[in-house]
Amino acid sequence: MEKLIVKGGTRLKGTIPVSGCKNAVLPIAVAASILGDGVSVLHNVPNLTDVKTLQAVLEGLGATIKLKNSTLYIESINHLEYEAPYDLVRKMRASIYVLGPLVAKLGRAKVSFPGGCAIGPRPIDLHIRGLEGLGAEVNVEEGYIYAQAERLVGTEMNLIGQHGPSVGATANVMMAATLAQGTTVIHGAAREPHISDLAHFLNAMGADIEGIGTPTLTIRGVKQLRGTEHTVISDDIEAGTFIVAGAITRGDVYVEGITPEQIPAISEKLVEAGVELDWDANGVRVTTPHEIQPVDITTAPFPGFPTDMQAQIMGLLCLASGTSVITENVHTDRFIHAAELNRMGANIALDGSKAIIKGTRNLSGAPVMASDLRAGAVLVAAGMAATGETVVSRVYHIDRGYESIEKKLNDVGANITRVNE
Ligand code: EPZ
C-alpha cells in the first residue's frame, strides 16, 4: 500500500490547474456507453481510479472504451450484457448508475447491491422508488438488484429523501426517463453542477430535458440517443480542496479553471473565514492575509455547502482563532477524519451530526490514515500546514478522486513524497 510523506511548514505559491469533474464524468460515461448509439468523445476527463473502475464495469457490459490523455473515446454497446458483477460494483458505488440505463435500453438489469462505505450506509431506496415509478419491477435477491420492464413509461414523481435530494437517484432516474414512453416529471431533483452537466450531455445526445439546474426536471422520452462530443465541467470539489490548501498554508495560489457559480457556498464560507478570493475569468487567486476566523457550517445539497467539502474546511477551521461548529446533514457518518486531525493536535469534539472545532495555534505532523477520498485530502492539507512530518496511509482513497495530488501540490511548493509501504 502506498503512503504520502508530507513535510510541514510549506507555503503554497503558484497556479494549480483543476481537472475534470469526477462526479460528472462517471454518469456521463454510463449514458454514453449504454443509452447512446454510436461513438461519444468526452474531453477534460480526469485520470482517476474511479474512472478506471467504471471503465472496467462498462467494458464488462460490452462497451469499447479508450482513455487517451484526458479524452475518453466510448463506443456504445450493441450486444449489451445486463449484469454488473459484485467484484467491480463493490469498488465503487457509482456503478449503480448502470441500473436505470440498462432497464431503459435492454428492459432488464442485474446489478450487485453497492456496498456502504466509511461515510455511511448509502441506501438506494430512492433509486428503486424512481425506477418503480417508471414501471420497472425491482427485486433485491442474494445481494443483487434485479430490475425489468417491457417499456418504461413516464410519470410524475418526488425523489426527495430523508436527507433531501439524491444526486445518484436523480442521475439514475433522469437517464432512464430519456428513453421512456411519454413525459416524466421529477420533483425534488438534485441540482449539483454535475447533474446539470449530465443533463446537458443527454440533451446533446438527443434527449429532451427541461428545468436543468432547478428542483423540477421534465424529461420527454425519445426513441433514440446518439453518441456526441462533450467537454466535462471542472471539478468544484477539487477546486475547493486546492483553495483550502492555499489558505491553510497561508500561501498565494491561483486555482485555475473554476467559476464562482460552481462553488457559491464554498466561496461564501471561506470569505467569512477570512480567506481572500480574487476572481477573474479563468479562476481565483487565494490569499489569507489575516487570522482564520471561526465559522459555523451546515452541509446541504447544492446550492448549500457541499458535504464533499466538509472535511477540507474542518481542517482549515482547526487553525481558526475561535470555535466553529460543523453540522453534517447529508451523510450519517462523515466525521472519521476528526480523530485523525486530533492526532495532529486539533481540538475537535463530536456530538451526533455536529463537530465542535476549537481553533489551535498550530498542528503537528503525525502518522494518519485516510478513510475516504475527502478525508485523505484534508490530511494532506493539514500536513502541509503542520510542523514536522505527516505520513498519510491508505492513499488509494485519495487517488479515487484526485489526479496526481502530490504532483499538483509539489508544483506549487509542497514537499510530498509517495512511497510504497
Ligand atoms: C454523490 O453520492 C457523490 N458521489 C458523493 O460524493 C456525494 O457525497 C453525494 O452525492 C452528496 O453530494 C458521486 O457523485 C459518485 P446522494 P450519492 O444519493 O449519489 C441518502 C465524493 O466525495 N440517500 O446524493 O450516493 C444518502 O444516504 C462522494 O466524491 C437515500 O437515503 O449521494 C445520503 O444521506 C462521496 N436513499 C443522502 O441521501 C437513496 O436512495 C445523499 O445521498 C440515495 C441516497
Side-chain angles (χ1 to χ4, degrees):
M1 293 235 258
E2 294 180 317
K3 293 182 170 186
L4 291 179
I5 299 174
V6 185
K7 293 260 189 306
T10 54
R11 277 185 174 216
L12 301 186
K13 193 163 174 44
T15 296
I16 310 181
V18 180
S19 299
C21 179
K22 164 177 91 79
N23 293 346
V25 76
L26 296 176
I28 287 173
V30 169
S33 301
I34 297 176
L35 292 173
D37 294 328
V39 176
S40 285
V41 180
L42 305 182
H43 300 291
N44 197 30
V45 172
N47 183 12
L48 304 170
T49 45
D50 268 10
V51 173
K52 294 193 178 73
T53 302
L54 186 71
Q55 185 173 347
V57 171
L58 296 172
E59 284 171 342
L61 294 171
T64 309
I65 301 186
K66 271 196 302 300
L67 178 63
K68 235 166 82 188
N69 301 330
S70 59
T71 297
L72 204 55
Y73 298 86
I74 297 178
E75 183 149 5
S76 70
I77 307 159
N78 297 322
H79 51 289
L80 253 174
E81 296 296 322
Y82 71 97
E83 179 176 345
Y86 170 71
D87 65 326
L88 286 172
V89 174
R90 70 180 174 78
K91 285 185 191 155
M92 182 184 62
R93 173 183 169 76
S95 311
I96 192 69
Y97 282 150
V98 305
L99 185 65
L102 283 174
V103 179
K105 188 79 177 183
L106 264 194
R108 61 178 179 161
K110 177 185 174 188
V111 181
S112 167
F113 206 95
C117 60
I119 61 178
R122 317 291 295 275
I124 57 164
D125 57 304
L126 300 174
H127 298 244
I128 293 173
R129 183 205 295 177
L131 294 177
E132 286 178 334
L134 293 173
E137 191 193 323
V138 185
N139 299 300
V140 179
E141 279 159 36
E142 294 154 16
Y144 273 85
I145 306 154
Y146 294 83
Q148 59 183 25
E150 271 307 300
R151 174 95 201 261
L152 293 177
V153 178
T155 185
E156 188 154 2
M157 67 174 77
N158 187 320
L159 267 191
I160 282 263
Q162 56 180 356
H163 294 270
S166 159
V167 167
T170 302
N172 227 329
V173 177
M174 174 170 68
M175 287 192 279
T178 57
L179 293 179
Q181 200 164 4
T183 300
T184 299
V185 179
I186 301 175
H187 296 288
R191 303 162 56 191
E192 274 67 8
H194 32 285
I195 290 293
S196 297
D197 201 33
L198 169 62
H200 289 306
F201 176 73
L202 290 166
N203 278 352
M205 293 177 90
D208 179 355
I209 302 170
E210 286 179 354
I212 298 174
T214 77
T216 305
L217 293 171
T218 301
I219 304 116
R220 289 180 184 77
V222 295
K223 287 239 176 312
Q224 185 183 32
L225 297 181
R226 293 190 170 290
T228 186
E229 193 152 4
H230 181 77
T231 299
V232 176
I233 55 168
S234 60
D235 195 312
D236 52 331
I237 304 303
E238 190 199 24
T241 305
F242 292 142
I243 292 173
V244 166
I248 202 171
T249 60
R250 312 189 75 76
D252 181 350
V253 299
Y254 181 72
V255 178
E256 184 181 43
I258 189 72
T259 64
E261 294 72 30
Q262 285 177 270
I263 54 171
I266 298 169
S267 309
E268 181 199 339
K269 282 298 176 184
L270 285 170
V271 166
E272 200 183 315
V275 179
E276 289 200 2
L277 301 178
D278 297 313
W279 290 94
D280 66 25
N282 300 314
V284 60
R285 181 181 175 195
V286 184
T287 50
T288 317
H290 311 296
E291 279 194 325
I292 301 293
Q293 298 305 312
V295 292
D296 293 343
I297 289 170
T298 300
T299 65
F302 193 88
F305 191 92
T307 174
D308 293 350
M309 276 297 296
Q310 180 254 103
Q312 298 90 315
I313 198 127
M314 182 186 283
L316 181 67
L317 295 174
C318 288
L319 295 172
S321 57
T323 299
S324 309
V325 178
I326 295 180
T327 306
E328 172 56 65
N329 274 348
V330 176
H331 291 295
T332 52
D333 187 8
R334 196 172 200 172
F335 285 142
I336 300 176
H337 44 277
E340 299 304 299
L341 289 167
N342 283 343
R343 291 171 50 75
M344 298 176 70
N347 183 346
I348 306 165
L350 298 182
D351 175 10
S353 64
K354 290 188 187 313
I356 298 95
I357 304 113
K358 284 198 178 64
T360 53
R361 295 295 310 154
N362 56 37
L363 296 171
S364 50
V368 289
M369 191 182 290
S371 50
D372 73 80
L373 66 164
R374 310 305 174 185
V378 71
L379 296 174
V380 171
M384 291 188 292
T387 54
E389 180 179 281
T390 297
V391 181
V392 183
S393 59
R394 299 193 178 178
V395 176
Y396 59 86
H397 284 296
I398 303 176
D399 295 335
R400 289 191 49 191
Y402 292 90
E403 192 176 15
S404 50
I405 193 166
E406 75 269 23
K407 180 180 177 326
K408 287 192 177 183
L409 294 172
N410 286 340
D411 285 353
V412 288
N415 183 341
I416 303 171
T417 314
R418 184 182 288 251
V419 296
N420 245 318
E421 205 166 4

